Amino acid sequence: MALKTGRIKTVRAFDLQGYLAQRAAAVDRALHVWLPPAGAKPATIHKAMRYSLFAGGKRLRPALCLAAAEACGGSIRQAMPLACAVECIHTYSLIHDDLPAMDDDDLRRGKPTCHKVFGEGIAILAGDGLLTEAFAIAARCRGWPRHSRGEIIRELAWAAGSRQLIAGQVADLEGEGKKLSAAELKYIHQRKTSALLCCSVRLGAMSANASPAQLRALSAFGLNVGLAFQIIDDILDVTQTSEQLGKTAGKDIAAQKATYPSILGMEKSRAIAVQLTRRAFRALEFFHGKAPALAALADFLLKRDK
Ligand code: GRG
């Protein structure tokens, strides 16, 4: 899946693995401090929240958030509450998605799912707890002349709410066993996956008091990368094993879910993911090579194998 673009040279020169490891460690340190301690009463719920949050996620959304802040001349310190907030929301959505009433999965991030370890009731509450803490953590960010704290928090609520993330999940549930059109599937993917990824990038930009033009460029980047990410996820569900993915492979076929490969075929799906990634690179041209981490992340998300 070679991506022929002038930017590929910059991408190769960037140490993304080092960048991701360093950013993930910083995010984990902040999350440890900002979340209620594991022993806080009642300990079960705080253990469950931390179990899923520190189970070994790739921390891609926080990395995108921090990289967007850096591209706009901001700091990791200012963006950190927002990076942590999106990871809490992402983890809550995974816990709830794995529940028997939804995808009914046993494996997540290479470990038994939250409800398998703590029971269904605690898993529901652990998701609720992470969603709620996300907003408390996000409220630690500072506001700017261009982006007030209120606007930043509303941005997060919009992406996580019933018109984006939850809308995508509802359409996904209601679409099971039905023949969906490519447009209907795109609706689901844009909301279920792309909205929070795009929001991560936009929040990073906002934490850096981004100009309207910077925010426009990063929104285009986030939307394209977000959709490409889910198409690759659909492909990996078919091509990889559960061990490689750290979650149950082949779930989409088993649940009779429409996916890009099932509607458009594998080759066309790959071609669309490449095309979307090219569009994301084009959006980054606005930064004249000053967004190397974002470029490397887009390239990595296209070529990832888990
Ligand atoms: C329950 C409101 C609600 C929403 C659930 C997250 C989700 C929506 C569904 C899970 C299944 C799925 C295909 C989600 C799309 C997003 C996605 C591919 C999540 C996995 O993201 P990674 O690969 O996971 O970044 P890690 O574990 O590395 O953080």
Side-chain angles (χ1 to χ4, degrees):
M1 221 194 311
L3 184 69
K4 293 195 183 68
T5 151
R7 185 138 328 259
I8 206 84
K9 236 180 172 171
T10 320
V11 167
R12 286 222 178 97
F14 189 84
D15 172 20
L16 184 67
Q17 288 319 314
Y19 180 89
L20 278 175
Q22 200 274 336
R23 294 299 180 270
V27 166
D28 285 3
R29 279 195 299 276
L31 283 168
H32 274 297
V33 173
W34 288 336
L35 274 182
K41 221 172 157 182
T44 329
I45 185 68
H46 298 120
K47 280 203 181 86
M49 286 159 68
R50 282 169 174 267
Y51 172 79
S52 291
L53 197 55
F54 297 110
K58 297 184 284 297
R59 304 291 193 240
L60 295 173
R61 290 150 194 83
L64 284 165
C65 179
L66 299 174
E70 291 173 270
C72 295
S75 73
I76 288 177
R77 195 170 64 81
Q78 306 276 17
M80 191 55 85
L82 302 170
C84 289
V86 290
E87 186 62 25
C88 288
I89 290 179
H90 168 57
T91 305
Y92 123 76
S93 78
L94 297 178
I95 295 174
H96 280 194
D97 185 67
D98 290 334
L99 289 167
M102 299 223 192
D103 254 15
D104 193 8
D105 220 319
D106 294 353
L107 186 68
R108 173 68 67 182
R109 294 177 162 172
K111 297 198 167 138
T113 44
C114 194
H115 67 272
K116 283 280 154 196
V117 178
F118 295 93
E120 240 178 283
I122 292 294
I124 292 170
L125 293 168
D128 294 341
L130 285 170
L131 175 60
T132 311
E133 287 299 329
F135 285 92
I137 293 172
R140 292 174 176 274
C141 77
R142 64 160 284 187
W144 293 93
R146 288 199 191 107
H147 308 288
S148 69
R149 192 188 284 131
E151 183 200 338
I152 291 174
I153 302 289
R154 273 195 301 280
E155 177 86 22
L156 185 62
W158 167 257
S162 56
R163 280 175 286 192
Q164 295 293 322
L165 176 66
I166 294 174
Q169 183 73 352
V170 170
D172 190 63
L173 271 178
E174 292 179 346
E176 271 181 32
K178 291 193 188 132
K179 202 168 153 35
L180 300 186
S181 67
E184 285 166 327
L185 184 61
K186 190 173 172 189
Y187 172 97
I188 294 175
H189 282 12
Q190 279 175 333
R191 281 157 189 79
K192 195 177 78 172
T193 308
S194 189
L196 194 59
L197 279 152
C198 184
C199 169
S200 306
V201 174
R202 282 176 57 87
L203 290 177
M206 287 171 156
S207 80
N209 198 26
S211 69
Q214 286 175 319
L215 202 53
R216 259 196 312 279
L218 288 176
S219 303
F221 172 82
L223 284 173
N224 283 300
V225 158
L227 188 53
F229 179 86
Q230 184 57 55
I231 295 173
I232 296 298
D233 208 71
D234 284 358
I235 293 173
L236 294 178
D237 185 68
V238 187
T239 57
Q240 304 297 89
T241 65
S242 301
E243 289 68 38
Q244 280 164 317
L245 296 178
K247 60 182 180 180
T248 314
K251 281 288 286 193
D252 296 334
I253 295 174
Q256 296 186 315
K257 269 193 191 175
T259 62
Y260 267 72
S262 72
I263 292 185
L264 298 170
M266 197 60 91
E267 281 322 300
K268 184 94 200 283
S269 302
R270 276 190 208 285
I272 293 173
V274 169
Q275 187 191 42
L276 290 164
T277 306
R278 283 215 178 97
R279 283 190 199 147
F281 279 127
R282 224 170 291 138
L284 286 189
E285 282 170 11
F286 177 85
F287 293 92
H288 301 288
K290 299 267 166 55
L294 288 176
L297 275 161
D299 186 61
F300 168 74
L301 295 182
L302 178 70
K303 294 173 181 164
R304 71 197 172 100
D305 56 11
K306 61 179 184 177

